[in-house]
Amino acid sequence: MLVTQHPIFRRFWYPVMPIADLTSGPKPFTLLGELLVLWLTAEGKPAALRDRCCHRSAKLSMGIVQNGCVRCPYHGWAYNASGACAKVPQLDPGAAIPKTYRVEAFQCAERYGYAWVCLADDPLLPLPEIPEADAPENRLIPQFYEPWQCSGLRVMENSFDNAHFSIVHAASFGVTEQPQPVKSELVPLELGLKAYATVPVVNPPLQQQLLNIPDSLTLREIESTWYVPFSRTLKITYPNGLLHLIFTAATPVGDRTSQIVQFCIRNDSEADAKAADIIAFDRQVVNEDKVVLESTDYDTPVDVAVEQHMPSDQPGIVMRRQLAALIKAHGSGQQGQRILAEV
């Protein structure tokens, strides 16, 4: 499943960049192979255009923001959030700017501290709603923003995979003496998936402090939600009532690369647990996953007959079947016709 070959993936929202990164000027980002420029308008809202000036194709992301518009570094043409050229310095004062002077614009919005982009005018799903992020008693901690050399589907399947904990995460929270995964209750959605499980985990010294649980073993009550195609939340509740909710997106830069966007939401305070320590523990877990996932084939099959499965792989099977059905229903590239022949 090469994401750039299937137009359906352009019809979803993806987090592409922290809003804070845009305060210093326009920035480039590649989404599904599409070169974008993002910046903040005069109202402080994020905007996204194709990263090519319509005059001589210079990259707008190399320019500056002027009067809320992004200005080309070559001849100074400036574009507003709709993609229309708002200023051409070389024209006589008062001269009309031709309507053909414009660059393709894309839907762009801010949520949870990030700029999100949809490359189509008719997204299939709205931006994810995470009620815990809006609760005033909770705090949001930005964690990771980095490229991984793997497919988004691999990242999503891994997020719902209870069978790898004792192997991949043996040094962090996996119970090595218990390799058999706990069973999850799966609730497939029309587009998406929910999973519920109770998972026993190792509670090392640092985590004991962060969770305020002095035991060497503890339980996680887990509610996982998959947002098609490549975002998820992992809502963990501990026996003492502590909430640790992780949002992860594997935003598709191209077929081989995913931009990992991750933040967490907690119902404690900085005095209870330092954000830097929380990030450090989650960094260990994330790095354990990254090493393995970057070794997998980036061209992840949605045909469930291509790879072998075991009972705990059911969430991934649900994902593959949903994505296969989407690709089939909305058209696909030349490779899609082959891999979906038996779906």
Side-chain angles (χ1 to χ4, degrees), residues 8 35 44 121 161 164 197 207-208 214 235 260 275 282 285 325 332:
I8 187 60
L35 300 180
D121 294 331
D161 177 13
H164 77 286
Q207 189 73 332
Q208 291 178 27
K235 182 180 179 180
I260 301 301
D282 283 352
V285 175
S332 60

Side-chain angles (χ1 to χ4, degrees), residues 1-6 9 30-34 148-154 230 250-259 296-300 335:
M1 187 187 70
L2 300 180
V3 290
T4 62
Q5 294 189 11
H6 302 297
F9 291 114
T30 303
L31 177 60
L32 288 165
E34 190 81 60
W148 286 16
Q149 302 308 309
C150 65
S151 77
L153 179 52
R154 295 284 189 200
F230 308 127
T251 296
V253 173
D255 293 323
R256 296 172 179 261
T257 306
S258 299
Q259 185 75 20
T296 63
D297 185 354
Y298 65 89
D299 189 3
T300 314
Q335 188 191 36

Side-chain angles (χ1 to χ4, degrees), residues 19 22 38-48 65 68 81 108-110 114-115:
I19 289 293
L22 298 177
L38 288 93
W39 80 97
L40 295 179
T41 67
E43 294 75 32
K45 296 182 179 180
V65 176
C108 190
E110 178 180 1
Y114 293 84

Side-chain angles (χ1 to χ4, degrees), residues 141-159:
I141 303 172
Q143 291 191 308
F144 315 123
Y145 180 74
E146 60 195 32
W148 286 16
Q149 302 308 309
C150 65
S151 77
L153 179 52
R154 295 284 189 200
V155 177
M156 292 298 102
E157 287 186 330
N158 179 75
S159 300

Side-chain angles (χ1 to χ4, degrees), residues 100-131:
T100 55
Y101 287 16
R102 64 180 303 110
V103 176
E104 185 176 5
F106 301 101
Q107 293 196 76
C108 190
E110 178 180 1
R111 182 160 295 182
Y112 310 126
Y114 293 84
W116 295 63
V117 173
C118 179
L119 297 177
D121 294 331
D122 53 347
L124 289 180
L125 291 175
L127 287 163
E129 293 283 353
I130 306 174

